Amino acid sequence: MPPGAAHPVVPVYEEQPRFDAVPPRAHWRYAPRRDFWRSRTLRASAVIIVLAICGLLILSLVREQTGTEGFLVGMGLAVLPVPLLMAAFRWLDRVDPGPWRHLIFAFAWGACAAALVAIIANSFATHWIATATADPTSADTLGARVVAPVIEESAKAAAILLIFLFRRRHFTGIVDGVVFAGFTATGFAFTENILYLGSAFGEDKSLGFSGVPSVTAATFFVRVVLSPFAHPLFTVLTGIGFGIAASAAHHRRLRRTAPPLLGLLCAMGMHALWNSSSAFGTYGFYLVYGAFMLPVFGVITWLAIWTRQRELRTISAELPAYAAAGWLAPAEPLVLSSMRARAMARAYAARTFGGGFGATSPHLGPHPAPYEPDPYGADPYSPVPYGADPPAPGPHPPGPRSPGPHAPGPYSPSPYHRPPAHADAKSRARAASRAVSEYEAFATTLAFLRHRAHRGAVSPDFEAREQELLHHLWQRKEIAGPALLYAAQATGRVPVPPPHLHYGGYNPYQH
């Protein structure tokens, strides 16, 4: 400031400051500083580095035991069931899909960290038992039937525990526990199968065996064809325990601590029974497999599917409160509780907003003429300028809280999911389908958030989370609304009046 210049005027304090000159958050010059050890990037990098080191160590150990050729053959055979198992667990998580990064972490933990801990700890424990008892044969038997189940299941459960503690927002119930446990165990089984199949190949090579009578073929049949679900089945019991704890109220400490421990004990016991099947005679394996493994597998599969259907029923039970408040259309809770209707809505949005015909939208470019309004009431999807405040719902106790107008801030409307008008049809179609998919995901999360609040598991920031989710829904309502209404009518979720034509004379449908 030059000499003699007047001092700048201090802004006048108001009860409700407007802060009109504050730049967008991306252009803040005085962003609050955080300690470097609290950086999200640093923590993610540390996890990646630890898993990478574990991966290199386990790779070296397995390759040392199987040889390079055996390692490659074992990997080629062990990878076959992995896509099928991952697809099955991902299908189970379609109602409220979790982030892929959590699933990748679970798989990597099982394949690298848990497998490394299991190999080192099992070898150390078996060697210690053999030294203490001077009986190597009994030590190997005891290590396989007792030590290995305890160590391996504990190592796999560590991944579920980490996600449960540090990514609690994405761990909401039994389905999440089953999915995270399944991915962890699939990664562990992948590494273990490489070791067993590679060792079998080395044994065949040294003995000159090949073809169907070979040890490799027998090992592949038992571990990959007959029982690819063995390790996932064990660890899923632990995941179910954590899922029960995740859905429990905060004040029920016993229900939040006992189920994970009980699930882990059941996983260890089932694993020990599976490893001890050879003790039941020549046909002990087939006896345990047919009389125990298959029935348990069927029961757990039924439980997982039933829990998935219960999640859909939760959506249809919780979202009508928001529909009554005006945030959702009356038909949307019915559509969002049907996976078929959801898929139909995404496809409709891609076709409608991705075409090159009809009127031009300022959000997604060309699209057909406006859809027909709901014949049974006011149109819930009337055009609203992008970024406008949502309608203020009236009182609706004990319905959801009313977030109120959205002032500029961290949740201000952002057109990131809407490509410019000159984008090609495929880009518009993908953006429209993604907007509907995000709308469905946010609505599902909102339903589960409200359901947990009803069960007494409400978090201190419930109102902030609810407002954020409602804001995200409002951002995508203009695109998702017509698609969901179409899906509701196409799937019979809402009644549609019979079509009629006006011929100029008497028409019974109009009277």
Side-chain angles (χ1 to χ4, degrees):
M1 180 181 297
H7 289 283
V9 179
V10 176
V12 178
Y13 174 77
E14 299 177 357
E15 291 293 335
Q16 295 291 337
R18 298 181 59 87
F19 300 113
D20 295 331
V22 176
R25 187 183 184 92
H27 300 285
W28 281 1
R29 297 178 178 86
Y30 305 100
R33 296 182 179 181
R34 303 176 60 185
D35 297 327
F36 75 94
W37 60 83
R38 296 181 179 178
S39 171
R40 188 175 182 179
T41 303
L42 178 64
R43 288 182 292 180
S45 301
V47 171
I48 293 174
I49 291 173
V50 170
L51 291 178
I53 293 175
C54 292
L56 292 176
L57 292 176
I58 194 67
L59 174 66
S60 176
L61 290 175
V62 173
R63 181 178 173 275
E64 182 181 356
Q65 296 187 34
T66 63
T68 302
E69 190 175 359
F71 175 80
L72 295 176
V73 172
M75 177 177 289
L77 296 176
V79 77
L80 295 178
V82 172
L84 300 178
L85 293 171
M86 295 176 69
F89 287 112
R90 189 59 178 176
W91 172 86
L92 189 64
D93 199 32
R94 281 182 61 200
V95 177
D96 185 23
W100 267 106
R101 62 180 180 273
H102 298 345
L103 303 180
I104 294 174
F105 163 78
F107 181 86
W109 181 277
C112 302
L116 179 63
V117 170
I119 288 180
I120 296 176
N122 286 340
S123 301
F124 174 80
T126 303
H127 177 73
W128 181 83
I129 295 173
T131 304
T133 61
D135 188 358
T137 303
S138 299
D140 292 338
T141 303
L142 187 63
R145 297 178 182 178
V146 179
V147 176
V150 173
I151 293 176
E152 292 177 6
E153 295 306 322
S154 299
K156 289 183 287 184
I160 311 173
L161 177 63
L162 290 174
I163 298 175
F164 181 82
L165 293 177
F166 297 103
R167 289 297 180 264
R168 185 66 178 80
R169 183 162 59 94
H170 299 289
F171 206 129
T172 59
I174 293 178
V175 171
D176 293 321
V178 169
V179 172
F180 291 138
F183 269 79
T184 304
T186 299
F188 184 89
F190 169 66
T191 302
E192 190 179 67
N193 286 341
I194 294 176
L195 178 61
Y196 279 94
L197 290 169
S199 301
F201 178 81
E203 184 177 350
D204 287 335
K205 189 176 180 181
S206 62
L207 298 177
F209 293 159
S210 62
V212 176
S214 64
V215 179
T216 304
T219 305
F220 177 82
F221 179 75
V222 171
R223 299 190 65 88
V224 177
V225 177
L226 278 184
S227 58
F229 56 85
H231 272 287
L233 184 60
F234 307 149
T235 314
V236 157
L237 296 175
T238 306
I240 292 175
F242 277 98
I244 295 174
S247 60
H250 291 283
H251 63 276
R252 297 184 176 180
R253 294 187 177 181
L254 181 62
R255 189 174 177 182
R256 292 176 61 86
T257 56
L261 296 176
L262 182 61
L264 179 60
L265 291 176
C266 291
M268 293 176 180
M270 191 170 182
H271 195 161
L273 178 63
W274 175 253
N275 287 359
S276 304
S277 59
S278 59
F280 297 102
T282 306
Y283 300 99
F285 168 80
Y286 300 101
L287 177 64
V288 173
Y289 182 81
F292 188 77
M293 292 289 289
L294 286 182
V296 173
F297 175 74
V299 171
I300 292 182
T301 302
W302 170 84
L303 177 63
I305 296 176
W306 177 83
T307 306
R308 182 177 184 264
Q309 295 301 118
R310 190 182 66 171
E311 289 186 342
L312 294 174
R313 292 193 295 270
T314 299
I315 294 172
S316 63
E318 298 293 346
L319 290 184
Y322 295 96
W327 290 104
L328 304 178
E332 287 186 16
L334 300 175
V335 178
L336 294 170
S337 60
S338 168
M339 300 306 296
R340 174 171 171 264
R342 287 186 176 199
M344 189 174 294
R346 294 192 297 269
Y348 175 84
R351 293 194 310 267
T352 302
F353 292 99
F357 53 88
T360 300
S361 167
H363 311 302
L364 287 172
H367 67 83
Y371 63 99
E372 296 181 2
D374 185 1
Y376 293 95
D379 184 4
Y381 303 117
S382 57
V384 178
Y386 184 68
D389 292 336
H396 44 278
R401 297 174 177 86
S402 304
H406 300 287
Y411 303 123
S412 298
S414 172
Y416 73 95
H417 60 281
R418 292 172 174 173
H422 58 76
D424 56 55
K426 289 186 178 180
S427 297
R428 290 194 301 271
R430 286 194 297 266
S433 178
R434 184 169 64 251
V436 176
S437 178
E438 292 170 351
Y439 188 94
E440 296 169 350
F442 287 130
T444 301
T445 304
L446 181 64
F448 291 163
L449 180 69
R450 183 173 175 81
H451 181 66
R452 290 196 300 273
H454 281 168
R455 294 173 59 90
V458 60
S459 57
D461 58 346
F462 170 80
E463 186 172 358
R465 291 189 181 188
E466 182 186 48
Q467 290 188 16
E468 180 183 347
L469 290 169
L470 290 172
H471 185 271
H472 289 321
L473 292 176
W474 180 257
Q475 283 185 305
R476 296 156 179 81
K477 190 178 184 70
E478 186 178 357
I479 299 173
L484 293 173
L485 179 61
Y486 167 80
Q489 296 176 345
T491 57
R493 296 278 164 169
V494 295
V496 180
H500 63 271
L501 299 175
H502 181 63
Y503 295 102
Y506 174 78
N507 193 333
Y509 290 105
Q510 293 181 341
H511 299 278

